[in-house]
Amino acid sequence: MFANKEEFKYTFLQRLEMVYGKRFSESTALDQYHTLGNMIREHISNHWIQTNERNRAEHKKQVYYLSIEFLLGRLLGSYLMNLGIRDVVEEGLKELGIQLRDIEEVETDAGLGNGGLGRLAACFLDSLASLDLPGHGQGIRYKHGLFDQKIVNGYQVELPEQWLRHGNVWEVRKEDLAIEVNFWGKVNVYTENGRLKFHHIDAEKVMAVPYDMPVIGYDTKTVNTLRLWSAEPAKFPMNKNVMQYKRETEAISEFLYPDDANDEGKILRLKQQYFLVAASIGSIVREYRNRYGHLKDFHQHVAIHINDTHPVLAIPELMRILLDEEEMSWEDAWYITTNTISYTNHTTLSEALEKWPVYIFKPLLPRIYMIIEEINERFCRNLWERYPGDWKRIEEMAIIAHGLVKMAHLAIVGCHSVNGVAKIHSEILKHREMKRFYEYFPEKFNNKTNGITHRRWLLKANPELATLVTEAIGTGWIKHPEQLIELKRYATDASFKEELAHVKMKRKAILAKLICEKTGIAIDETSIFDVQVKRLHAYKRQLLNVLHIMYLYNRLKADPNFTIYPRTFIFGAKASPGYHYAKRIIKLIHSLAEKVNHDKQIKGQLKVVFLENYRVSLAEKIFPAADVSEQISTASKEASGTGNMKFMINGAVTIGTMDGANIEIFERVGSDNIFIFGLTAEEVLHYYENGGYHSYEYYHHDQRIQQVVNQLVNGFFHDAYDHFEPIYDSLLAQNDQYFVLRDFASYVEAQEKVGTAYEHQEKWLEMSAINIANSGYFSSDRTIREYARDIWNIHE
């Protein structure tokens, strides 16, 4: 049906009129989108089936990637690109009077993620399929995902995301493969034939219904599967008000990250996590049993990877199946479990290393708690044998301690591999955050620096740049991104740089038009597009960016002779609904924008833009247009970052701290092609451990800092009376936890260098080209090859 445009047009018209019972001329863009989507799904169905059959027939080891987030974004454009049929479809639709981009805009983002964690998972699935590797995703089919962000008078308002409003054309519901998940109840322990038995009784049952989505590789016949689970009521609820049971059940797969400020929210989040792993492990085991009959060699044929601590309950759940259903010995079950499961840590932030109160955990998951208790007892016994009398060490390393179940500890103990996501992050884990575990399990720890799918973030998002790259070095980079390094020889080529400048200006014009449409703000397309788009968190230091803009504004106001190269500062970020400090920073950005953008005295040299509802489809328009990539987190806090890689591959130049993958970008592009500032990770960690930082000293001794900090509370922002006092207090009374004031002067100096460098366009374009050339290393294809070789032991 996609062999040529005539065949496509005939099939498209026939399907549309047959399914919707209306003439093509009466059809809507939504009708056309669903028709095209169904055609694509039918087109790949044979490859989808054949991929699964080939994996079974060849007894290939399968990897299952368990993640609480999969930030997929829109899929139509990627599917058309990966299948190599975009031109046929675009030309055929054009002859029918339809613009493909209009149909693409109909698709809603599948916002099943909050940021880098979920987008990484999506990139990994793309690379697995594109490399012909047998790897599948397992997640939750959230009805509303995270939330839609609306800005009202500068304040964030959260609305339910409606990505399923018109259905999901890519999914297949498989009710016959539903898995029963048990909560609450109690465990009946008894002896039978000399063996201890455990029977979970009086449980509240929830049905996990799978929805399968195809994961289509680029220029390959491999179609892997993303299985998303929906929580639905069982047929016969026990001892429960039926309507209450229905509401509580459906809440499990309703929203990503429900607020866990109270016990009710904690219970729901823990339910989500167990629901994900019980459904996923149950499904994996059922398929394995159908093929092999027993689980004694399970670890040789299956690899299960847990993406951060959210799916860590996969460890006791697999143990439960091996012990209670397969009736294995503890030793055999533990050997299989630990050799099956691997774990990626994504953070050094203590609040993100989940800990669940025993008083909530034990009644909700009684059998799982018993198994964790046994794991903890055995682990502590081993620690005692290694470190006799060292109670402090054992207390610090215990999985259950002080009334809390520590999920990161369970992950490390119960898996065979623990990886960080950038070199510095992995070193911090080994030598600081998880030092005692590294001393005990040195063989488990390794690094896998994150990557992005270059096909989505360059080939699809920036077709003009992709064409320029292909004209210079050929098409090999699309399958082998490391070949982008060949662009280095064009970094000083005048004609290449001229074309690169044209591409950037075209993408800036597209973004400027979008900004004007969405915000009413007219921006100078020739200005420096200085961009910070990412989840809003204090450690990511959007506040540092804002204070610098305030400083520039103050200078422009105070000194008519002071000029800067025109700058447009672009922000995009969602703040967690319960994270009130972050939401105040969003309001601060808007208050600053209101002040700056309407002040004629500064002659348009500064503009501030906040793009609401930051998401994947918006990111695809922002990254290609950026000149400057803001990666300014407090050193040691950003595990890796992937936004830095998306900017880099689109030719933006980084201003950042020596944190996360910034360090590896620095190592590749060299000090002349990146702007580094601020404290190092070692310096930050030294302050945390030994003290010695006093933010008041920087406030009192730097007039610039004093002015901008005072402006938070002195009426400078007349539309937000008292609203920014908590930000003021965080910087002074609370001693500036993330060293914003400490790094301010260094950041100002680095930004001055950015402005000076941009004025020398020939040199700037050379820097841009060198960044693109070195970005191939940061492809998720490279990352996945390393996982496949070093951790999962899977092959094409």
mmCIF file of all heavy atoms in Angstrom, residues 8 23 63 70 94 194 266 270 304 343 346 351 400 483 493 601 634 650:
data_model
loop_
_atom_site.group_PDB
_atom_site.id
_atom_site.type_symbol
_atom_site.label_atom_id
_atom_site.label_comp_id
_atom_site.label_asym_id
_atom_site.label_seq_id
_atom_site.Cartn_x
_atom_site.Cartn_y
_atom_site.Cartn_z
ATOM 1 N N PHE A 8 -0.715 4.296 -2.806
ATOM 2 C CA PHE A 8 -1.017 4.857 -1.497
ATOM 3 C C PHE A 8 -2.308 5.673 -1.542
ATOM 4 O O PHE A 8 -3.179 5.528 -0.673
ATOM 5 C CB PHE A 8 0.134 5.747 -1.009
ATOM 6 C CG PHE A 8 -0.258 6.641 0.131
ATOM 7 C CD1 PHE A 8 -0.496 6.108 1.394
ATOM 8 C CD2 PHE A 8 -0.441 8.004 -0.070
ATOM 9 C CE1 PHE A 8 -0.899 6.932 2.448
ATOM 10 C CE2 PHE A 8 -0.832 8.827 0.977
ATOM 11 C CZ PHE A 8 -1.070 8.291 2.233
ATOM 12 N N ARG A 23 -17.604 10.883 2.454
ATOM 13 C CA ARG A 23 -16.729 11.238 1.350
ATOM 14 C C ARG A 23 -15.420 11.831 1.883
ATOM 15 O O ARG A 23 -15.397 12.476 2.931
ATOM 16 C CB ARG A 23 -17.424 12.255 0.433
ATOM 17 C CG ARG A 23 -18.617 11.699 -0.316
ATOM 18 C CD ARG A 23 -18.178 10.699 -1.357
ATOM 19 N NE ARG A 23 -19.304 10.198 -2.118
ATOM 20 C CZ ARG A 23 -19.219 9.170 -2.968
ATOM 21 N NH1 ARG A 23 -18.044 8.552 -3.121
ATOM 22 N NH2 ARG A 23 -20.271 8.768 -3.625
ATOM 23 N N VAL A 63 15.584 -8.897 26.206
ATOM 24 C CA VAL A 63 15.704 -7.931 27.293
ATOM 25 C C VAL A 63 14.375 -7.200 27.441
ATOM 26 O O VAL A 63 13.717 -6.867 26.454
ATOM 27 C CB VAL A 63 16.863 -6.931 27.062
ATOM 28 C CG1 VAL A 63 16.643 -6.080 25.836
ATOM 29 C CG2 VAL A 63 17.056 -6.042 28.276
ATOM 30 N N PHE A 70 7.724 6.396 29.972
ATOM 31 C CA PHE A 70 8.130 6.311 28.562
ATOM 32 C C PHE A 70 7.610 7.568 27.879
ATOM 33 O O PHE A 70 6.420 7.679 27.568
ATOM 34 C CB PHE A 70 7.552 5.062 27.876
ATOM 35 C CG PHE A 70 8.275 3.793 28.218
ATOM 36 C CD1 PHE A 70 7.804 2.967 29.225
ATOM 37 C CD2 PHE A 70 9.430 3.424 27.542
ATOM 38 C CE1 PHE A 70 8.467 1.798 29.558
ATOM 39 C CE2 PHE A 70 10.106 2.248 27.867
ATOM 40 C CZ PHE A 70 9.618 1.431 28.875
ATOM 41 N N LYS A 94 -0.234 15.336 -0.724
ATOM 42 C CA LYS A 94 -0.202 16.664 -1.354
ATOM 43 C C LYS A 94 -1.087 16.694 -2.599
ATOM 44 O O LYS A 94 -1.800 17.673 -2.843
ATOM 45 C CB LYS A 94 1.246 17.024 -1.709
ATOM 46 C CG LYS A 94 1.439 18.481 -2.105
ATOM 47 C CD LYS A 94 2.915 18.809 -2.255
ATOM 48 C CE LYS A 94 3.100 20.286 -2.571
ATOM 49 N NZ LYS A 94 4.542 20.638 -2.727
ATOM 50 N N GLY A 194 7.162 -31.271 54.320
ATOM 51 C CA GLY A 194 8.422 -30.791 54.871
ATOM 52 C C GLY A 194 8.901 -29.467 54.312
ATOM 53 O O GLY A 194 9.997 -29.009 54.635
ATOM 54 N N LYS A 266 1.212 8.052 49.054
ATOM 55 C CA LYS A 266 2.291 7.049 49.126
ATOM 56 C C LYS A 266 1.765 5.668 48.742
ATOM 57 O O LYS A 266 2.422 4.917 48.011
ATOM 58 C CB LYS A 266 2.898 7.021 50.525
ATOM 59 C CG LYS A 266 3.778 8.220 50.882
ATOM 60 C CD LYS A 266 4.383 8.044 52.264
ATOM 61 C CE LYS A 266 5.407 9.148 52.592
ATOM 62 N NZ LYS A 266 4.771 10.458 52.741
ATOM 63 N N LEU A 270 3.085 3.447 45.571
ATOM 64 C CA LEU A 270 3.615 2.104 45.786
ATOM 65 C C LEU A 270 2.781 1.075 45.037
ATOM 66 O O LEU A 270 3.320 0.110 44.484
ATOM 67 C CB LEU A 270 3.650 1.791 47.283
ATOM 68 C CG LEU A 270 4.376 0.520 47.721
ATOM 69 C CD1 LEU A 270 5.796 0.463 47.162
ATOM 70 C CD2 LEU A 270 4.406 0.413 49.240
ATOM 71 N N ILE A 304 16.213 -8.583 32.562
ATOM 72 C CA ILE A 304 15.232 -7.585 32.995
ATOM 73 C C ILE A 304 15.995 -6.390 33.546
ATOM 74 O O ILE A 304 16.812 -6.532 34.456
ATOM 75 C CB ILE A 304 14.289 -8.159 34.070
ATOM 76 C CG1 ILE A 304 13.444 -9.300 33.465
ATOM 77 C CG2 ILE A 304 13.384 -7.069 34.646
ATOM 78 C CD1 ILE A 304 12.616 -10.057 34.481
ATOM 79 N N TYR A 343 20.283 -2.840 36.998
ATOM 80 C CA TYR A 343 19.707 -1.594 37.526
ATOM 81 C C TYR A 343 20.507 -0.381 37.074
ATOM 82 O O TYR A 343 21.732 -0.377 37.154
ATOM 83 C CB TYR A 343 19.688 -1.702 39.060
ATOM 84 C CG TYR A 343 19.601 -0.416 39.848
ATOM 85 C CD1 TYR A 343 18.529 0.459 39.708
ATOM 86 C CD2 TYR A 343 20.593 -0.086 40.785
ATOM 87 C CE1 TYR A 343 18.450 1.624 40.469
ATOM 88 C CE2 TYR A 343 20.512 1.071 41.554
ATOM 89 C CZ TYR A 343 19.448 1.927 41.390
ATOM 90 O OH TYR A 343 19.376 3.064 42.153
ATOM 91 N N HIS A 346 19.831 6.859 38.374
ATOM 92 C CA HIS A 346 19.762 8.114 37.627
ATOM 93 C C HIS A 346 19.967 9.358 38.480
ATOM 94 O O HIS A 346 19.748 10.459 37.991
ATOM 95 C CB HIS A 346 18.402 8.232 36.936
ATOM 96 C CG HIS A 346 18.261 7.397 35.706
ATOM 97 N ND1 HIS A 346 18.688 7.816 34.463
ATOM 98 C CD2 HIS A 346 17.755 6.159 35.524
ATOM 99 C CE1 HIS A 346 18.435 6.867 33.571
ATOM 100 N NE2 HIS A 346 17.866 5.858 34.183
ATOM 101 N N GLU A 351 16.366 12.601 47.923
ATOM 102 C CA GLU A 351 14.901 12.476 47.897
ATOM 103 C C GLU A 351 14.414 11.582 46.764
ATOM 104 O O GLU A 351 13.278 11.109 46.782
ATOM 105 C CB GLU A 351 14.240 13.863 47.788
ATOM 106 C CG GLU A 351 14.452 14.584 46.460
ATOM 107 C CD GLU A 351 15.590 15.598 46.504
ATOM 108 O OE1 GLU A 351 16.517 15.424 47.320
ATOM 109 O OE2 GLU A 351 15.545 16.571 45.726
ATOM 110 N N ILE A 400 16.244 -2.724 55.115
ATOM 111 C CA ILE A 400 15.176 -2.245 56.001
ATOM 112 C C ILE A 400 15.838 -1.706 57.264
ATOM 113 O O ILE A 400 16.561 -2.424 57.946
ATOM 114 C CB ILE A 400 14.187 -3.363 56.372
ATOM 115 C CG1 ILE A 400 13.575 -4.002 55.118
ATOM 116 C CG2 ILE A 400 13.070 -2.815 57.269
ATOM 117 C CD1 ILE A 400 12.715 -5.212 55.404
ATOM 118 N N GLN A 483 30.045 8.277 12.485
ATOM 119 C CA GLN A 483 30.592 8.875 11.270
ATOM 120 C C GLN A 483 30.408 10.396 11.213
ATOM 121 O O GLN A 483 31.015 11.066 10.371
ATOM 122 C CB GLN A 483 29.960 8.228 10.037
ATOM 123 C CG GLN A 483 30.366 6.776 9.827
ATOM 124 C CD GLN A 483 29.778 6.174 8.555
ATOM 125 O OE1 GLN A 483 29.324 6.892 7.656
ATOM 126 N NE2 GLN A 483 29.794 4.848 8.476
ATOM 127 N N ASP A 493 35.446 25.130 6.637
ATOM 128 C CA ASP A 493 35.060 25.295 5.234
ATOM 129 C C ASP A 493 34.033 26.428 5.123
ATOM 130 O O ASP A 493 32.942 26.349 5.692
ATOM 131 C CB ASP A 493 34.481 23.992 4.694
ATOM 132 C CG ASP A 493 34.119 24.081 3.219
ATOM 133 O OD1 ASP A 493 33.015 24.576 2.927
ATOM 134 O OD2 ASP A 493 34.932 23.671 2.371
ATOM 135 N N GLN A 601 13.150 51.320 26.785
ATOM 136 C CA GLN A 601 14.445 51.953 27.068
ATOM 137 C C GLN A 601 15.617 51.035 26.732
ATOM 138 O O GLN A 601 16.690 51.504 26.373
ATOM 139 C CB GLN A 601 14.502 52.354 28.549
ATOM 140 C CG GLN A 601 15.759 53.143 28.905
ATOM 141 C CD GLN A 601 15.821 53.490 30.385
ATOM 142 O OE1 GLN A 601 14.797 53.570 31.052
ATOM 143 N NE2 GLN A 601 17.025 53.692 30.900
ATOM 144 N N THR A 634 23.937 22.568 39.429
ATOM 145 C CA THR A 634 24.985 22.521 40.449
ATOM 146 C C THR A 634 25.841 21.286 40.215
ATOM 147 O O THR A 634 25.315 20.168 40.131
ATOM 148 C CB THR A 634 24.360 22.445 41.854
ATOM 149 O OG1 THR A 634 23.443 23.519 42.014
ATOM 150 C CG2 THR A 634 25.429 22.505 42.929
ATOM 151 N N ASN A 650 22.346 19.531 17.284
ATOM 152 C CA ASN A 650 21.736 20.548 16.426
ATOM 153 C C ASN A 650 22.589 21.805 16.307
ATOM 154 O O ASN A 650 22.127 22.824 15.785
ATOM 155 C CB ASN A 650 20.347 20.896 16.952
ATOM 156 C CG ASN A 650 19.307 19.858 16.551
ATOM 157 O OD1 ASN A 650 18.861 19.830 15.411
ATOM 158 N ND2 ASN A 650 18.939 18.995 17.483
#
